[in-house]
Amino acid sequence: MAKSDGIHILQGLLVFGNVVIGMCGIALTAECIFFVSDPHGLYPLLEATENDDIYAAAWIGIFVGFALFVLSILGIIGVIKSSKTLLLVYIILMLITYAFEMASCITAATHRDFLTPNLFLKQMLERYKKSEPDNNNDKWMIDGVTDTWDKIMVQNHCCGVNGPSDWQKYTSAFRITHNDADYPWPRNCCVLDDQGSPTNLDGCKLGVPGYYNSNGCYDAISGPVNTQAWGVAWFGFAILCWTFFVLLGTMFFWSRIDY
Amino acid sequence: MLPGETGWTSLPRGCGQRWNVGGWGRPGSGGDTELIRPHCCPRHPGARTMLPLLLLLLPAAACGQDPRLYTPALSTLPLGGLTTTSTFVLDQPRCAFPNSLSDAVIWLVVAVPEGVPSFDRTLEPGSPDRAYQRFPANTSAYMTLNTTLLNYPCPKADGEISVLRVGSETSCQGDNTRPTCNGPLPGPGPYRVRFVAWDNSGPVAETKWSEPIYLQKATPQTSIPRKDRGHSAAMIALTSILTILFATLLAGLVAMLVCWGSDACGVSSTFSKPEAVTVQRYNTHHVYDHPPSRL
């Protein structure tokens, strides 16, 4: 009877493990849907850097989360009925889902490392308010980068990636069409009033503190992107560690079933 | 107010916040001469711009110094645009010229350092040899930002920010009819500047030459390194741990399938599915109760 009790305990643990996997799957889906919806509007910047695989990782996370939920239900049924077939199907499908989730986590973690200040700086200087698009795709990216930077600079009261000096230290597409004396930095670096015009244009051009934004925008960009990358990567990692133990237990349980 | 000046003196001075920027744009050139008011400026009682001479002669101590002792310099204020790639910001020459020069015109001379030793002070401002448009290719210096001492009142009121932005007029950059244009500087420099006072008889006073002023130099954005990314320790740990776990699971799956195929495992401690089993007790051998009489 002790053996049967042991098996019952294992069954109970496996059911509990699968319940947790199911709930985590739902949570992963919800988290990844939140990230894909891009509440901060930073996707055009990443798209322009051609490093938007963090969004690909989030998309995979949506489907993996849902698959985990469905498979956990299958697992619970299989464990309760002690059916070798059901559990074999469960294990194989879980391993496939495991592989996809692994890919998502590693992609999110790796691509987060690519997002350095210089990457955004290059994109900003090359594309912000560029007047001669090379092709339609370039025009799409130019519009995305320009609109996103305009919005970021106004909402976060910042200018450039490291500061307004970015526009002085480096040449840029912006500088080609906007001369330095009238536009040492873009107008959106100025403190704007409610109508969207600078409160003091001379003050902004001179760089008087209080009339222009002297901080860089890198923190405002990298904060949300890092949260997204780490959210997808580490939550996925936690789920996979838990799933590892549940799957090992299921394999052991499966080998102990006898028809 | 001299012709050619835009009206920063026409705006009311009074207690309130004040900030003077000399831009000398033509009306409608971009509003360089707006007045902003950051601090309260105490003025002499009854001081008005229409009575400059008398009031400036009131005992106001260090007014009217020797211009030969004054060195023009970049503003000491923490301005983000102190030097850009084509403009720079100077302190106004307050208390640099004596009050006796109140009807002279103060000009700013911008020169390349090579033109300083051979600078000809008798060349008239506005002449072709002192034209902005011909600088620096055909002339080593140009003169701009002309005004009178009215716009450089002495003493400087506390809290007042008084600066001159050199290079702010872009509208007259190519206009040869405006040789005294305060146009953007053509290169990163260096440049040396001085203030001179001219009246009808010629140059009457000069300040010292400034130190060489260097402007910002823009490096090409293609020189920004793209491949400066590394791999963080967290990402390496995550990848390796996940790979090991996945490999373990695959090994487990293989072991399971081998087990299943060969039926070799779990025979000793298996359990049956909990189904209803009835056990019948039955005799395997015929066992009769032999009577003891058979012996």
Side-chain angles (χ1 to χ4, degrees):
Chain A
M1 294 308 112
K3 214 177 300 171
S4 164
D5 275 346
I7 290 299
H8 280 130
I9 292 175
L10 182 60
Q11 267 184 312
L13 283 176
L14 289 178
V15 168
F16 171 69
N18 276 302
V19 166
V20 171
I21 289 178
M23 293 196 304
C24 285
I26 300 280
L28 183 68
T29 301
E31 182 197 27
C32 290
I33 288 178
F34 174 71
F35 286 139
V36 165
S37 71
D38 196 20
H40 295 274
L42 295 174
Y43 180 68
L45 287 188
L46 292 180
E47 188 188 24
T49 65
E50 278 134 30
N51 256 316
D52 57 351
D53 285 340
I54 289 184
Y55 282 86
W59 276 107
I60 295 177
I62 294 177
F63 296 111
V64 163
F66 186 66
L68 283 176
F69 174 69
V70 170
L71 284 178
S72 72
I73 295 177
L74 177 70
I76 291 173
I77 296 173
V79 164
I80 290 179
K81 289 175 93 169
S82 300
S83 153
K84 258 182 140 84
T85 328
L86 269 184
L87 283 181
L88 186 62
V89 167
Y90 165 79
I91 289 173
I92 291 177
L93 288 180
M94 266 300 229
L95 281 177
I96 295 173
T97 309
Y98 197 96
F100 273 103
E101 180 56 19
M102 221 173 78
S104 165
C105 289
I106 294 176
T107 305
T110 311
H111 280 268
R112 141 79 206 83
D113 289 342
F114 290 170
L115 301 177
T116 54
N118 276 353
L119 184 71
F120 292 114
L121 181 63
K122 250 181 118 67
Q123 277 311 308
M124 182 184 78
L125 295 174
E126 269 174 29
R127 294 220 154 98
Y128 181 76
K129 294 219 164 132
K130 182 174 171 190
S131 57
E132 307 277 325
D134 299 328
N135 52 44
N136 270 346
N137 190 39
D138 198 28
K139 183 169 189 338
W140 170 263
M141 287 198 197
I142 289 170
D143 289 341
V145 167
T146 303
D147 292 338
T148 307
W149 269 105
D150 282 340
K151 186 172 59 78
I152 290 175
M153 290 200 282
V154 172
Q155 279 178 356
N156 297 297
H157 307 294
C158 59
C159 184
V161 173
N162 302 309
S165 55
D166 285 343
W167 300 103
Q168 293 295 316
K169 271 196 217 145
Y170 299 101
T171 61
S172 56
F174 173 75
R175 185 59 65 225
I176 294 174
T177 45
H178 297 78
N179 68 67
D180 172 75
D182 286 332
Y183 295 91
W185 30 76
R187 282 288 178 264
N188 282 47
C189 288
C190 303
V191 172
L192 302 177
D193 60 18
D194 293 334
Q195 279 77 40
S197 51
T199 49
N200 189 305
L201 191 58
D202 278 331
C204 181
K205 288 195 230 174
L206 275 176
V208 179
Y211 294 106
Y212 82 128
N213 302 324
S214 49
N215 307 324
C217 297
Y218 180 65
D219 287 336
I221 297 173
S222 69
V225 169
N226 275 353
T227 309
Q228 174 171 337
W230 291 136
V232 170
W234 287 110
F235 187 50
F237 178 75
I239 293 177
L240 289 182
C241 286
W242 180 267
T243 309
F244 171 75
F245 290 110
V246 171
L247 280 179
L248 274 188
T250 312
M251 287 179 189
F252 178 73
F253 179 75
W254 183 90
S255 64
R256 291 284 171 265
I257 301 176
D258 194 43
Y259 284 108
Chain B
M1 202 161 81
L2 288 189
E5 277 181 8
T6 55
W8 70 331
T9 53
S10 64
L11 290 165
R13 292 179 181 185
C15 199
Q17 299 173 338
R18 146 162 252 114
W19 171 26
N20 288 325
V21 178
W24 320 129
R26 289 254 188 235
S29 72
D32 278 312
T33 55
E34 293 163 14
L35 259 179
I36 306 94
R37 297 161 182 270
H39 298 284
C40 190
C41 47
R43 305 291 291 170
H44 296 297
R48 285 171 48 197
T49 59
M50 293 303 117
L51 301 171
L53 284 173
L54 282 174
L55 295 168
L56 284 173
L57 288 173
L58 280 176
C63 237
Q65 289 176 349
D66 187 356
R68 292 170 298 180
L69 301 176
Y70 178 80
T71 310
L74 287 176
S75 174
T76 49
L77 297 170
L79 297 175
L82 189 67
T83 55
T84 68
T85 52
S86 62
T87 67
F88 59 92
V89 180
L90 291 174
D91 263 335
Q92 288 180 357
R94 298 290 185 100
C95 305
F97 291 93
N99 300 323
S100 53
L101 296 176
S102 58
D103 49 355
V105 178
I106 317 283
W107 291 85
L108 175 72
V109 179
V110 180
V112 288
E114 301 78 45
V116 164
S118 57
F119 181 72
D120 183 354
R121 57 196 293 274
T122 60
L123 285 177
E124 210 176 318
S127 62
D129 282 327
R130 288 281 177 259
Y132 161 77
Q133 287 80 10
R134 305 189 62 208
F135 176 83
N138 297 323
T139 176
S140 62
Y142 70 98
M143 299 174 78
T144 183
L145 280 177
N146 49 312
T147 182
T148 60
L149 263 186
L150 283 181
N151 286 328
Y152 298 143
C154 188
K156 181 168 152 341
D158 273 340
E160 207 174 274
I161 306 174
S162 53
V163 293
L164 285 177
R165 189 164 183 240
V166 180
S168 58
E169 265 190 279
T170 49
S171 52
C172 54
Q173 235 177 323
D175 186 358
N176 288 327
T177 62
R178 295 258 346 259
T180 57
C181 179
N182 181 19
L185 282 305
Y191 302 100
R192 298 185 75 178
V193 302
R194 82 187 321 191
F195 290 97
V196 297
W198 272 71
D199 66 9
N200 295 332
S201 57
V204 292
E206 291 145 347
T207 66
K208 292 191 195 173
W209 285 100
S210 69
E211 294 299 317
I213 295 173
Y214 292 87
L215 300 185
Q216 302 269 357
K217 204 164 164 165
T219 54
Q221 37 107 333
T222 45
S223 67
I224 301 175
R226 172 89 187 242
K227 309 265 181 217
D228 63 339
R229 55 203 185 201
H231 289 297
S232 61
M235 170 254 163
I236 293 177
L238 187 144
T239 309
S240 40
I241 291 177
L242 283 182
T243 317
I244 292 172
L245 294 184
F246 189 60
T248 313
L249 284 178
L250 281 180
L253 177 70
V254 167
M256 240 172 68
L257 294 175
V258 163
C259 231
W260 194 31
S262 68
D263 284 327
C265 55
V267 177
S268 59
S269 57
T270 53
F271 69 100
S272 300
K273 279 207 274 194
E275 50 190 333
V277 174
T278 56
V279 178
Q280 277 181 333
R281 262 199 99 218
Y282 59 95
N283 291 329
T284 53
H285 303 290
H286 284 290
V287 175
Y288 293 111
D289 260 326
H290 288 288
S293 59
R294 280 289 296 264
L295 286 168

